[in-house]
Amino acid sequence: MARRKIIAGNWKMNMTPSEAVKLCAELKELVKNDDVDVVYCVPAIDIVPVVEAVKGTNVEVGAENMYFEEKGAYTGEISAAMLKDAGVKYVIIGHSERRDYFKEEDALLNKKVKKAFEAGLTPILCCGESLEQREMGVTMDWIRLQIKSDLVDVTADQVKELVIAYEPIWAIGTGKTATTEQAQEVCKGIRDCIAEMYDDATAAAVRIQYGGSVNAGNAAELFAQPDIDGGLVGGASLKADFGKIVNY
Ligand code: PEP
């Protein structure tokens, strides 16, 4: 069965709640497409108004992060149950900015992935190499380590629902996109890794996005690759261009 493409915007720390509602209205007609899944991953404070703003449209809402504990004394954190109750469907886990600036490590991310599934959320699990790692020729070793560590004790049935975002760190927010060949090669490598860890059916089902300076000009070629099932889009998700990416 063909995998359904998934195109998700990562708004990062942009958009106040009122700006968020305005952006949803501006993008509403532009992102219409019943053939792909469209997701806005938004800052926590925007979740409630954005869920309301996209009601009745083809857009689903995602969070940019969550904590793995059920509830309690974790000041400043947001639980999976809170996200689920607010109408969130997806949650980004392990974005390179969280790994880098907030020192989130794979053991923590593994707990988050498991908790997200337990709560009925779909994780968008990010992985990707630095420029230094690419130049040293260890890209796939690094990514395999991330995937294997982040998916400890995650079942095949869960992985079939999972979204993995391959995001080379050197391509995020830099305007420097990976070549189509580089992106396809790593996305295939991730699928092969899933086949080794689970089985061919699981590898065939998991959706793998490319992220890193995706724009209206390069989306079509990237998304046409056999192992690229859509994109995680940062900068270009905040403007009308996102509609062109969704309708690549
Ligand atoms: C991202 O933040 O996940 C991302 C890919 O950003 P950009 O599209 O701006 O490179």
Side-chain angles (χ1 to χ4, degrees):
M1 216 176 78
R3 290 179 298 272
R4 192 172 158 88
K5 298 265 195 258
I6 174 164
I7 297 158
N10 173 15
W11 289 10
K12 311 197 187 199
M13 198 174 74
N14 295 295
M15 298 286 136
T16 64
S18 51
E19 288 169 344
V21 169
K22 205 164 150 244
L23 181 62
C24 290
E26 282 164 11
L27 293 180
K28 189 175 168 183
E29 294 302 317
L30 305 176
V31 300
K32 268 193 181 156
N33 184 339
D34 291 333
D35 298 329
V36 302
D37 289 339
V38 181
V39 185
Y40 297 164
C41 296
V42 307
I45 198 164
D46 294 341
I47 287 170
V48 170
V50 168
V51 165
E52 189 58 34
V54 301
K55 257 191 195 142
T57 74
N58 58 319
V59 175
E60 297 281 2
V61 178
E64 298 177 12
N65 186 28
M66 53 160 262
Y67 197 51
F68 69 88
E69 291 286 1
E70 185 63 33
K71 58 158 76 173
Y74 304 100
T75 303
E77 292 296 329
I78 292 186
S79 73
M82 290 170 185
L83 297 178
K84 181 74 183 170
D85 186 65
V88 165
K89 186 154 182 208
Y90 296 88
V91 56
I92 298 176
I93 292 178
H95 190 280
S96 63
E97 287 151 17
R98 297 225 51 98
R99 291 178 187 260
D100 184 11
Y101 305 144
F102 302 99
K103 306 292 168 234
E104 293 198 4
E105 291 179 349
D106 291 306
L108 170 75
L109 300 174
N110 174 238
K111 289 182 183 168
K112 291 189 180 195
V113 169
K114 287 187 286 194
K115 191 66 188 182
F117 275 123
E118 195 186 306
L121 299 168
T122 300
I124 299 177
L125 174 65
C126 299
C127 59
E129 82 288 4
S130 65
L131 187 57
E132 199 185 4
Q133 287 168 325
R134 176 158 284 273
E135 285 171 352
M136 286 192 304
V138 298
T139 294
M140 218 46 240
D141 303 278
W142 176 250
I143 287 168
R144 286 170 63 89
L145 185 66
Q146 288 184 317
I147 295 293
K148 287 187 169 191
S149 321
D150 298 345
L151 295 183
V152 169
D153 293 332
V154 177
T155 68
D157 282 347
Q158 289 171 329
V159 173
K160 284 178 184 151
E161 299 299 316
L162 178 71
V163 178
I164 297 175
Y166 165 55
E167 299 207 304
I169 297 168
W170 48 271
I172 297 179
T174 57
K176 223 182 188 184
T177 321
T179 64
T180 314
E181 292 72 26
Q182 285 170 327
Q184 162 58 22
E185 186 185 18
V186 176
C187 290
K188 177 168 190 318
I190 293 170
R191 204 175 298 288
D192 291 345
C193 179
I194 296 291
E196 282 168 37
M197 292 170 67
Y198 297 91
D199 49 47
D200 288 347
T202 307
V206 65
R207 292 190 288 180
I208 305 176
Q209 299 174 310
Y210 166 79
S213 300
V214 172
N215 59 45
N218 60 25
E221 196 182 324
L222 285 162
F223 300 168
Q225 300 309 302
D227 288 291
I228 301 181
D229 306 314
L232 183 55
V233 184
S237 70
L238 297 168
K239 40 189 187 182
D241 267 21
F242 193 60
K244 293 192 189 137
I245 295 172
V246 164
N247 289 291
Y248 65 97

